[in-house]
Amino acid sequence: MTNFVRVYIPATVPLAASLQDGPELKVPAAPVHAVTPALREWYAEGDQEELEYVAFSRAAQEALRLLHADPGAPRRRVVVSADMPEAAVQIESQELGSSAVRLSLPVALSAIASFHIDAAQAESDVAAAAEAIEAAAAGDGDAQFTVDSVEDHDLLWYAPEELGDMLKS
C-alpha cells in the first residue's frame, strides 16, 4: 500500500494554466513544501492542521518569488495542493522548522487535491509584495512589512475540475 504526502507547490497563473496543455504540472524550481519531521519538531505544539497551514503559507510566500521572477504573470499567488507518493517526496533540509521538499516525480493532474489563488482584489498588495520579496529576504524591515501584509489576503479554493474557472476568476 502506498502512503501519500500532501505537498504545497508554489505557482503562478501561467504555471497552473500549463495543465491545460498536458496532464502534468510544470513544477517550478522553487521549493515545494510539506509537513516534515523538522517542521513537526520545531512546532511541537501544533496539530496536523496547523502544521499544514505553515507549509501552505510558505508555499504562498514562495509564489511571490516566482512572481518577482516573472513580471508578466498576473499578480496573484497560486498554491497547488497535491497528494504525492511518499517515495517521491525528498526532504531538502534537516534544519529545524524546515518544510522544504523536492519531488522526484511529475505532478499529474490526478494527484492534485486543490488549487488556491488570490482574489482579484489582492493584486495590488501581491504586486507590491512580489516587488519587495528580495529586499525583505536581505533584511529590509519595510520590505518585510510589505511582504507580511499580503498574508492578510486568504487564497480562494478551487477543486481540480474547476481549473478553467480559477483561471477566469
Side-chain angles (χ1 to χ4, degrees), residues 5-75:
V5 175
R6 172 68 50 98
V7 296
Y8 304 96
I9 304 161
T12 61
V13 170
L15 284 170
S18 73
L19 278 165
Q20 294 179 317
D21 299 329
E24 296 175 345
L25 179 68
K26 295 174 181 146
V27 178
V32 171
H33 293 272
V35 176
T36 63
L39 182 59
R40 284 185 196 286
E41 184 179 343
W42 171 72
Y43 196 39
E45 305 84 38
D47 63 19
Q48 184 68 19
E49 187 174 327
E50 290 169 316
L51 293 169
E52 288 177 357
Y53 181 76
V54 170
F56 176 88
S57 296
R58 289 178 179 172
Q61 188 167 55
E62 209 55 57
L64 291 173
R65 290 186 189 283
L66 296 174
L67 290 171
H68 181 78
D70 184 0
R75 305 285 90 180

Side-chain angles (χ1 to χ4, degrees), residues 51-135:
L51 293 169
E52 288 177 357
Y53 181 76
V54 170
F56 176 88
S57 296
R58 289 178 179 172
Q61 188 167 55
E62 209 55 57
L64 291 173
R65 290 186 189 283
L66 296 174
L67 290 171
H68 181 78
D70 184 0
R75 305 285 90 180
R76 297 168 81 182
R77 298 169 297 165
V78 176
V79 175
V80 180
S81 298
D83 295 319
M84 297 295 291
E86 189 173 51
V89 180
Q90 283 82 43
I91 295 172
E92 282 283 289
S93 170
Q94 298 294 332
E95 183 178 325
L96 188 62
S98 175
S99 61
V101 298
R102 184 174 24 88
L103 301 178
S104 63
L105 292 175
V107 180
L109 182 57
S110 61
I112 294 174
S114 57
F115 295 99
H116 310 268
I117 187 171
D118 278 304
Q121 300 91 314
E123 285 185 12
S124 62
D125 290 342
V126 171
E131 190 66 32
I133 191 74
E134 296 302 326

